[in-house]
């Protein structure tokens, strides 16, 4: 209903935070929209439920078009799938993931992920 009223006519006093969990890392990274930039990042993901998600992933954007490949050894901490899912959606910024201890501050992927996954806060007008 808030979408039907005028701008700034509704003040939210509570915010329901929705949940997202990536089930297919490769499919999600290949299917996501990106800004038209050139960037690349290598991240390690830890997913105890779906072994095919666990491991090192290399994402390369060329004018915003992704190429996702399995990576080899990675000397950085693995990102838990819940944190990755939040970053993927744009809810958790990579710099905040550093502050929370999910990523290392000197990890070169942080800046690239920030550029790749930038955008407005995610939202959904539906409640299930």
């Amino acid at each position: 209903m808030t979408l039907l009223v005028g701008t700034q006519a509704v003040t939210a006093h509570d915010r329901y935070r929705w949940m997202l969990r990536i089930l297919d890392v490769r499919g999600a990274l290949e299917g996501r929209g990106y800004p038209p930039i050139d960037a690349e990042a290598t991240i390690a993901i830890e997913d105890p439920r779906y072994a095919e998600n666990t491991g090192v992933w290399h994402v390369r954007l060329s004018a915003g078009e992704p190429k996702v490949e399995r990576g080899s050894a990675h000397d950085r901490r693995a990102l838990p799938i819940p944190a990755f899912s939040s970053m993927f959606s744009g809810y958790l910024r990579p710099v905040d993931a550093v502050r929370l201890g999910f990523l290392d501050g000197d990890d070169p992927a942080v800046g690239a992920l920030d550029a790749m996954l930038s955008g407005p806060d995610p939202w959904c007008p539906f409640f299930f």
Side-chain angles (χ1 to χ4, degrees):
M1 289 186 56
T2 59
L3 298 175
L4 301 175
V5 297
T7 304
Q8 301 299 318
V10 175
T11 302
H13 294 284
D14 196 6
R15 182 174 178 183
Y16 180 79
R17 304 204 189 280
W18 56 284
M19 296 180 289
L20 172 75
R21 200 237 195 254
I22 301 297
L23 301 176
D24 175 3
V25 170
R26 180 187 298 275
L29 289 169
E30 288 176 343
R32 187 187 196 279
Y34 296 96
I37 61 171
D38 295 337
E40 61 182 277
T42 300
I43 57 172
I45 296 178
E46 181 181 283
D47 187 343
R49 185 167 302 262
Y50 298 104
E52 58 272 17
N53 288 335
T54 296
V56 178
W57 295 93
H58 185 76
V59 183
R60 179 178 294 128
L61 296 184
S62 178
E65 293 298 318
K67 181 175 182 182
V68 180
E69 299 174 323
R70 281 287 193 171
S72 56
H74 188 59
D75 63 347
R76 302 296 176 160
R77 75 178 76 203
L79 191 60
I81 194 71
F84 170 72
S85 298
S86 290
M87 277 188 4
F88 176 85
S89 74
Y91 182 76
L92 176 65
R93 307 286 186 257
V95 293
D96 293 328
V98 170
R99 288 186 191 110
L100 293 169
F102 293 121
L103 292 172
D104 296 316
D106 61 346
D107 188 337
V110 173
L113 289 170
D114 193 50
M116 289 178 182
L117 306 175
S118 65
D121 285 343
W123 66 280
C124 180
F126 307 108
F127 184 82
F128 300 93

